[in-house]
Amino acid sequence: MAVEFRSTNENMIVFDKIESSLDDLFKAYSGKFLNTVEPFTTIDPTLENITKFFFTLVEKQILPMHAQLNKIELGESPMRFYYVTRDDMSGE
């Protein structure tokens, strides 16, 4: 996973704080079959759906740290990646 974000104020973003926060966030999904974890018990866990869901999840997580998510990119193999941008999600 790769994320691209920007500051929502003039202060410096502490990357370690965001990285630690995202590590904590993704513990609920790490090492599990996604189709057994909400919301993927009802949503097909395709790369596209996972990426869109994680965009929303990450956005909510980093917002209190004065950061705005611009892009998230997920890969299921070295040759297969999918990304979602803020513009993509604006119509959702």
Side-chain angles (χ1 to χ4, degrees), residues 26-61:
F26 286 111
K27 283 181 183 176
Y29 305 95
S30 181
K32 297 184 179 153
F33 292 108
L34 287 182
N35 58 347
T36 65
V37 180
E38 288 295 331
F40 302 111
T41 57
T42 56
I43 298 171
D44 191 18
T46 63
L47 185 58
E48 294 84 352
N49 288 342
I50 294 167
T51 306
K52 288 176 184 178
F53 174 73
F54 283 166
F55 185 100
T56 303
L57 203 62
V58 168
E59 169 106 311
K60 289 177 185 174
Q61 188 76 7

Side-chain angles (χ1 to χ4, degrees), residues 72-92:
I72 188 168
E73 185 174 343
L74 288 178
E76 61 183 22
S77 73
M79 298 298 291
R80 189 177 301 208
F81 278 82
Y82 185 78
Y83 73 88
V84 175
T85 66
R86 170 161 300 291
D87 290 340
D88 297 331
M89 295 299 287
S90 65
E92 300 265 325

Side-chain angles (χ1 to χ4, degrees), residues 6-48:
R6 68 175 191 87
S7 176
T8 59
N9 63 20
E10 295 181 15
N11 296 331
M12 180 178 69
I13 293 178
V14 180
F15 290 98
D16 290 344
K17 184 176 178 182
I18 289 179
E19 185 176 24
S20 176
S21 177
L22 294 180
D23 284 345
D24 290 343
L25 177 68
F26 286 111
K27 283 181 183 176
Y29 305 95
S30 181
K32 297 184 179 153
F33 292 108
L34 287 182
N35 58 347
T36 65
V37 180
E38 288 295 331
F40 302 111
T41 57
T42 56
I43 298 171
D44 191 18
T46 63
L47 185 58
E48 294 84 352

